[in-house]
Amino acid sequence: MALSIVARLRDGRYDAAAIRPSEPEWPPHPARVFCALVASATEDADWAALTWLEAAGAPQVWASPVEQTAVARSTGFVVINATEGKGGSQTWPGRTNGHRQRTAVMPADHEFALVWPDAEPDDATLGRLVRLARRVPYLGRSTSSVELTVVPDVIDPKPTWTVHRPAPLGAPDGRPVRVPYPGYVDTLRAAYGRGDRSWEFSRSRAYVADMPATPSTVDADAAGDPVEADAKGRAPSGEGPVAGPYQDLLVWGIQRGRTAISGDRLVAVTGALRRAVLSRVPDPIPALISGHGADGQPHVAYLGLPSVGYEHSDGHLLGLAVAVPRALGADDRRTLLRALLDEADPLANLTVPWGRPLELEYRPERTQPWGLVPERWTAGRRGASRWVSVTPVMLDRFPKRHHGVAELLARSLVAAGYPEPQAVDILPTTPVRGGVHRPRSATLPEGRPRRPFVHCRVEFATPVVGPVIAGSLRYLGSGLFVPEKDGDADAE
């Protein structure tokens, strides 16, 4: 026996946002379907069936290829859910209006399916799941009406569907998809009782597609698969966003409850992170992890993520990140990920030169704060054309009369694996609120040349997928950029 849940989008649209509200969710996440079933449960037998389903493992997702979808976006003021003791309107006491952007996907095929090929539900569980599915009126927002059907078998796949499968640790090109997990039902019920939102308790797992698909859906602003710049920094024209030298950005939040770490201590913290990572990787340590013997290839970068871009941002470190290069081989990639994310001994503490160790938390499903979401630093799969430094760039060499600072920065970006920028503006300091002006001199690595630090804004001819780092201290996070987009409230 097996189990399939087939969804038919009655109006041909799927109104659901990804981690960033301006981005669409596709393929549909199994956790969203599961939450819709939870919302329909009323009896003990319903909860028992859902408890069985949460333990059945992550399903396959069969849906239209991503490149065969269109995206619709709308913005406006809507009544928000948060309530206050005063204010609001006569119609909605205690509630006010807020500006929101909504995103919808129109797939080529109006049906998709979740498939558990090895599931074996008993008759009682199957009957309850059938009843729950019939009660579900919509998925995502209430504007995307749906009809769910439970089938006790593996359905016949449509030839135009892409099959998205859960990926093993270290699989390249995996994308995070929210899935149910053991204990999810109890967590959701407790969250509902407290008035919390369900997405705050979601968990993600990497999925890979069996069939080729572009990494972003198609609309007026979208492009195809990211392509890599050539050795001279030239980006193919008309080919979509350019893939930077890093394939993944693994992010750890720094647990609260201790004095905030100021951004000017960045290099000391990232140096400690590098030492901690290398101590967990068995010998011989691959060159693209340690950097020794990398022969100019982009290698693993150890980054500090400051709080920047908002009215009250002060530049303290929200978290740390490890940028995994595309050039890292599959075996070395698995070695690195096991050293960092092994369930028995994950990276959870970091010894720093002062005070007690930092407590770290790796949560790939995290959606807030925005500074701990990888898309904040990568600009998502569509990339961005304009980037601005939030930590200072140390020049690779001293400027000379015939090589100005702007030219040196352009060369530094090309050497780091990015296309040559079409414009470089040197700035007296970072224009992003909370950005780090200069690191403390005492935190800089011993024995390294001390060259000038600068801030800048760069513009590429083609959108680039980050993270973007430049300069001689880029592998320790000094020289980190953020995307700067028109109408993006995150960038100053």
Side-chain angles (χ1 to χ4, degrees), residues 83-364:
T83 59
E84 298 180 0
K86 59 181 180 178
S89 66
Q90 292 181 344
T91 306
W92 301 99
R95 296 168 67 181
T96 59
N97 291 334
H99 187 264
R100 296 290 186 270
Q101 175 171 294
R102 291 184 170 177
T103 307
V105 177
M106 279 74 72
D109 193 301
H110 297 174
E111 289 187 340
F112 67 88
L114 306 183
V115 180
W116 290 263
D118 301 320
E120 295 184 0
D122 56 34
D123 291 343
T125 298
L126 182 63
R128 282 292 167 174
L129 293 176
V130 169
R131 292 181 59 184
L132 289 171
R134 289 174 179 171
R135 299 174 188 166
V136 174
Y138 60 86
L139 282 179
R141 289 187 291 274
S142 59
T143 48
S144 55
S145 177
V146 72
E147 175 185 342
L148 294 185
T149 304
V150 174
V151 180
D153 202 350
V154 175
I155 63 170
D156 294 330
K158 297 185 177 182
T160 56
W161 274 349
T162 293
V163 178
H164 298 268
R165 302 179 188 273
L169 182 66
D173 300 324
R175 65 174 61 190
V177 173
R178 298 184 183 106
V179 296
Y181 55 88
Y184 198 27
V185 170
D186 292 339
T187 299
L188 290 173
R189 297 183 73 178
Y192 179 80
R194 295 189 302 267
D196 295 335
R197 289 170 285 195
S198 62
W199 55 262
E200 297 178 357
F201 304 94
S202 61
R203 294 182 185 177
S204 299
R205 177 166 179 177
Y207 272 63
V208 294
D210 279 359
M211 295 170 54
T214 56
S216 58
T217 49
V218 178
D219 65 2
D221 301 320
D225 281 310
V227 294
E228 296 189 50
D230 64 18
K232 295 184 178 180
R234 295 184 297 242
S237 60
E239 297 287 347
V242 176
Y246 293 97
Q247 181 170 335
D248 293 303
L249 189 66
L250 310 177
V251 175
W252 286 260
I254 297 176
Q255 294 280 57
R256 297 179 181 178
R258 59 169 293 136
T259 303
I261 302 173
S262 60
D264 59 4
R265 284 182 160 180
L266 164 80
V267 176
V269 179
T270 54
L273 174 64
R274 178 179 180 273
R275 290 190 294 272
V277 172
L278 296 186
S279 71
R280 302 169 68 88
V281 177
D283 290 328
I285 301 176
L288 293 189
I289 296 178
S290 68
H292 299 301
D295 296 329
Q297 295 185 81
H299 54 80
V300 171
Y302 305 90
L303 311 177
L305 307 180
S307 171
V308 296
Y310 294 95
E311 180 181 359
H312 301 293
S313 294
D314 59 5
H316 75 275
L317 295 184
L318 294 170
L320 303 172
V322 172
V324 183
R326 296 182 185 277
L328 191 65
D331 291 341
D332 292 343
R333 175 186 170 87
R334 281 191 289 270
T335 297
L336 175 64
L337 295 184
R338 288 194 183 101
L340 297 175
L341 307 177
D342 186 87
E343 292 185 0
D345 183 29
L347 177 63
N349 294 280
L350 180 65
T351 301
V352 291
W354 67 90
R356 65 179 185 271
L358 304 182
E359 296 181 12
L360 305 180
E361 182 183 30
Y362 178 75
R363 287 180 52 201

Side-chain angles (χ1 to χ4, degrees), residues 9-34:
L9 302 171
R10 296 179 184 271
D11 299 320
R13 60 185 290 138
Y14 180 67
D15 293 355
I19 292 176
R20 192 175 188 184
S22 61
E23 299 296 326
E25 177 186 289
W26 195 265
H29 291 190
R32 193 176 294 278
V33 176
F34 188 86

Side-chain angles (χ1 to χ4, degrees), residues 40-122:
S40 301
T42 58
E43 303 174 7
D44 290 343
D46 296 335
W47 301 120
L50 291 170
T51 300
W52 173 88
L53 185 62
E54 72 182 17
Q60 300 175 11
V61 182
W62 299 1
S64 292
V66 182
E67 77 274 14
Q68 294 182 15
T69 64
V71 174
R73 290 185 173 89
S74 61
T75 60
F77 286 87
V78 299
V79 177
I80 62 177
N81 291 326
T83 59
E84 298 180 0
K86 59 181 180 178
S89 66
Q90 292 181 344
T91 306
W92 301 99
R95 296 168 67 181
T96 59
N97 291 334
H99 187 264
R100 296 290 186 270
Q101 175 171 294
R102 291 184 170 177
T103 307
V105 177
M106 279 74 72
D109 193 301
H110 297 174
E111 289 187 340
F112 67 88
L114 306 183
V115 180
W116 290 263
D118 301 320
E120 295 184 0
D122 56 34

